[in-house]
Amino acid sequence: MNIKKLERKIFSHHMDTVSPWVIPITLHTITELTYKHDPHIQEEAKLTTVIEEYLSEQAKNAPPHAPLVIALRLTEQNAESGALAEKIIRHHFSSVLLNELDRKRREVRRWRFNLIVGFIFLALCIAISQFFGTMPVNDFTQFFKESFSIIGWVALWEPVSYFLYGWREDNSDIIAALRLSHAQTTILT
């Protein structure tokens, strides 16, 4: 998947005339965005699972061409809260995006390997089927000839099906992470 191409496609439709999709979050302090014992520096801390899932769900439900704005309402805040929240959210979803892209690459690599194994198995099954075709014709040899031919093609079905249809399925996590990694964060008072 070409992330730059996807990014251009998504963000080329963002226009000033399209009203932004506002995602409200209410917290007591900025530290509630992340895990208390996260060993990363504050700007690179991971979002809590609840906040990550909420933001992802909201991004998936947002109109596809609307820019995302995360409206953070904090009861305790300081002058740097908005910039820090934006850094944390953008960094987190950039990491999620890279992880999802890496997972997708590994998946394609695994299915490519399965496809190669499927073709080798098909060739082996056809060779065995041809071997049974050289024997005198009777019900036994005909059964094995047809069986190996069918087994070889059936074994190839799932890898071929992935390359025809499966690789395009469910890119919503990748698109949501991409949109959230570019989301604007505002602090409401």
Side-chain angles (χ1 to χ4, degrees), residues 23-56:
I23 304 172
I25 298 178
T26 303
L27 300 172
H28 184 65
T29 64
I30 191 81
T31 58
E32 291 177 353
L33 270 177
T34 61
Y35 290 104
K36 183 178 181 179
H37 299 291
D38 191 327
H40 298 92
I41 61 172
Q42 195 171 19
E43 292 83 9
E44 295 179 3
K46 294 185 183 279
L47 293 177
T48 64
T49 305
V50 172
I51 293 190
E52 178 185 1
E53 289 174 355
Y54 170 74
L55 289 173
S56 294

Side-chain angles (χ1 to χ4, degrees), residues 3-144:
I3 191 65
K4 292 295 180 192
K5 186 177 178 182
L6 180 62
E7 195 171 358
R8 278 191 306 271
K9 179 181 175 186
I10 290 172
F11 296 115
S12 68
H13 296 293
H14 284 216
M15 298 180 194
D16 295 330
T17 58
V18 178
S19 60
W21 181 263
V22 178
I23 304 172
I25 298 178
T26 303
L27 300 172
H28 184 65
T29 64
I30 191 81
T31 58
E32 291 177 353
L33 270 177
T34 61
Y35 290 104
K36 183 178 181 179
H37 299 291
D38 191 327
H40 298 92
I41 61 172
Q42 195 171 19
E43 292 83 9
E44 295 179 3
K46 294 185 183 279
L47 293 177
T48 64
T49 305
V50 172
I51 293 190
E52 178 185 1
E53 289 174 355
Y54 170 74
L55 289 173
S56 294
E57 181 181 322
Q58 290 294 313
K60 289 175 188 175
N61 292 333
H65 303 304
L68 300 179
V69 175
I70 300 167
L72 194 56
R73 183 177 303 278
L74 300 172
T75 52
E76 288 182 20
Q77 59 182 307
N78 60 35
E80 294 127 20
S81 294
L84 179 59
E86 189 165 294
K87 283 180 185 175
I88 291 170
I89 291 168
R90 286 186 174 193
H91 180 271
H92 178 82
F93 283 104
S94 293
S95 296
V96 168
L97 176 62
L98 292 175
N99 290 338
E100 283 295 315
L101 290 172
D102 188 48
R103 182 191 60 78
K104 197 66 142 170
R105 279 188 210 98
R106 285 192 316 270
E107 183 178 288
V108 168
R109 194 176 318 130
R110 183 181 74 241
W111 282 106
R112 191 178 301 134
F113 176 76
N114 290 350
L115 185 65
I116 291 168
V117 169
F119 276 124
I120 292 169
F121 186 72
L122 174 63
L124 180 66
C125 286
I126 288 175
I128 293 171
S129 177
Q130 294 297 323
F131 170 74
F132 281 110
T134 62
M135 297 181 146
V137 177
N138 61 35
D139 290 341
F140 177 76
T141 58
Q142 190 66 25
F143 169 77
F144 279 105

